[in-house]
Structure formats: structure tokens, C-alpha cells
Amino acid sequence: MNKILELENLEKEVSSCFKCKLSNTRTRTVFGEGNPNAELMFIGEGPGKNEDLTGRPFVGKAGELFTRILEKGFGISRTNVYIGNIVKCRPTVDMNFEKDRPPEKDETYSCSPYILRQIEIIRPKVIVSLGNPATKFLLNTDEGITKLRGKWFDFQGIPLLPTYHPSFILRSDSETAKQEIWEDLTKVMNKLNWEIKVKIKWKN
Ligand code: URA
């Protein structure tokens, strides 16, 4: 079966998933999007408010920053990479649906077969995990992102590099963190032998 069909079938399965409690509060599932033949795959933690409403990953504030870093900072179009999340439904703190929270362990484990299958289908050359939940799950570790970021790991034969989640950059507005995410993604570009076409650092 070709990749597009496989991803479409999996997306259908995800859209009717009720394996965990996040299915009770979601508006839409957020499967992931991008090039099925992507060499580079980004994995975030889970949909936020805007993602839940639109069904698309990384389209809220953190997503806008992520897109700016990719497109303006490195000259990579979102459509050339694949963007997915560890969980496909939005984790919220309460029924007011205002605040997001990281996925809980049981939610991550119920949902994880989907992201694992996406990785298997796409088989990228490099994976970048964004933030703690994705990194901890994929590397099966309790070590935090500040220790792990910027280093290469192996995920089932695929080089994986953890870096900060863009929402951390937004929250902290730390110049050091901005510099570090820049360095991390430069390593990824070098690993893929991709030319950095635009050398402008983004502005928040
Ligand atoms: N944060 C994530 O981790 N994923 C999204 O899709 C949006 C925000």
C-alpha cells in the first residue's frame, strides 16, 4: 500500500478513537500533516485550543512561532516536512477549555501506537522531538529536555534530536533558549545536508 493511503487509513482510525478520556472533550482529532515522504519529522506533545478547533497541528501561538523558525529562520517550508504529535486530542485542565496541559501517562500510552505507526510509514531520515512529553516518551526516559536537547539519539535506527518546544520559548522569552533551539536545528540541517537558505533569526 502506498504511504498516502496508509496515512489516510490511519487518520480515519484516529478520528474515531475513543481509547482515552481526551476523546470526551475534543472538538477534532489532530492527526498530523505534511509530506508523506518527508526526510524530517517533528513530533510535538499534543493539540492546543486552535489545533483542536481546526484539526491541524501547530497553528496556534506556539505553532506560529514554530512555523516562523522553520520558514523564516531556516527557509524550510512546512509542506516539506511532517509534523505530528504524541497525542491526537487536546489535553485541557478543566471544562472551561481555556488552558492546555501536557498529556498524562495513560493518555500518551493509549495514543502512542498512532505516532509510532506514522513514524513507521513515513520513515524520515531525522526526527526532532519538541519538548519534554515527546522526548520522554520516544526515548523512554525521565531525563528532562534541558539535559537532552541538542544531542543525537537513536530511535529505531533513525537519528533523533530533542529540542525545546516553541511554547517554552514563548513562555520564557529566554535569549539562551532561542540561541539553543537555533543551534539544535542547525545540527539537523547539517545532518540532512540541507542548505540553510535564509539566515535571518526570527523575532518573537
Ligand atoms: N503544541 C504541540 O505540541 N502540538 C501542537 O500541535 C500545537 C501545540
Side-chain angles (χ1 to χ4, degrees):
M1 217 195 303
N2 76 36
K3 286 183 177 196
I4 297 176
L5 213 58
E6 280 190 84
L7 287 168
E8 276 174 8
N9 287 344
L10 187 62
E11 183 166 7
K12 269 190 212 134
E13 198 181 319
V14 166
S15 69
S16 56
C17 175
F18 296 97
K19 284 198 286 183
C20 83
K21 59 186 179 298
L22 296 182
S23 59
N24 298 328
T25 49
R26 72 173 179 232
T27 309
R28 290 161 181 247
T29 54
V30 180
F31 180 66
E33 67 181 29
N35 182 351
N37 295 306
E39 294 186 356
L40 176 55
M41 181 167 182
F42 289 92
I43 303 182
E45 70 180 57
K49 189 175 184 175
N50 291 288
E51 290 79 14
D52 172 72
L53 292 173
T54 58
R56 296 185 58 210
F58 283 97
V59 293
K61 268 205 172 135
E64 280 170 12
L65 174 60
F66 171 74
T67 306
R68 265 203 314 281
I69 296 172
L70 268 195
E71 299 196 337
K72 297 246 165 29
F74 287 89
I76 307 168
S77 161
R78 266 179 73 118
T79 54
N80 279 343
V81 301
Y82 196 91
I83 306 165
N85 282 308
I86 291 287
V87 299
K88 311 302 190 207
C89 298
R90 180 190 179 200
T92 50
V93 285
D94 54 31
M95 295 304 282
N96 292 328
F97 305 110
E98 284 310 319
K99 273 199 157 179
D100 299 328
R101 62 162 171 81
E104 287 164 7
K105 267 210 170 135
D106 62 314
E107 296 156 355
T108 301
Y109 279 85
S110 306
C111 209
S112 60
Y114 299 132
I115 191 68
L116 295 176
R117 187 79 191 106
Q118 281 169 297
I119 296 171
E120 214 171 79
I121 295 169
I122 294 158
R123 202 73 208 161
K125 287 193 178 150
V126 169
I127 296 172
V128 174
S129 56
L130 298 167
N132 267 319
T135 305
K136 286 185 176 178
F137 171 72
L138 292 167
L139 298 181
N140 193 22
T141 178
D142 282 328
E143 201 75 77
I145 190 71
T146 29
K147 280 243 170 87
L148 300 176
R149 63 143 282 276
K151 297 185 189 138
W152 286 107
F153 295 88
D154 177 88
F155 181 82
Q156 300 178 356
I158 303 170
L160 180 151
L161 187 128
T163 194
Y164 295 121
H165 193 284
S167 63
F168 172 72
I169 307 283
L170 286 179
R171 273 198 316 272
S172 69
D173 198 29
S174 151
E175 284 308 318
T176 316
K178 285 183 200 171
Q179 184 59 34
E180 286 172 335
I181 201 171
W182 181 265
E183 285 166 13
D184 296 348
L185 294 178
T186 302
K187 282 188 190 170
V188 169
M189 297 291 285
N190 291 338
K191 183 83 156 184
L192 289 163
N193 285 322
W194 285 3
E195 187 194 345
I196 301 175
K197 294 186 198 114
V198 190
K199 298 196 176 184
I200 309 163
K201 287 211 182 158
W202 74 91
K203 288 207 178 87
N204 274 349

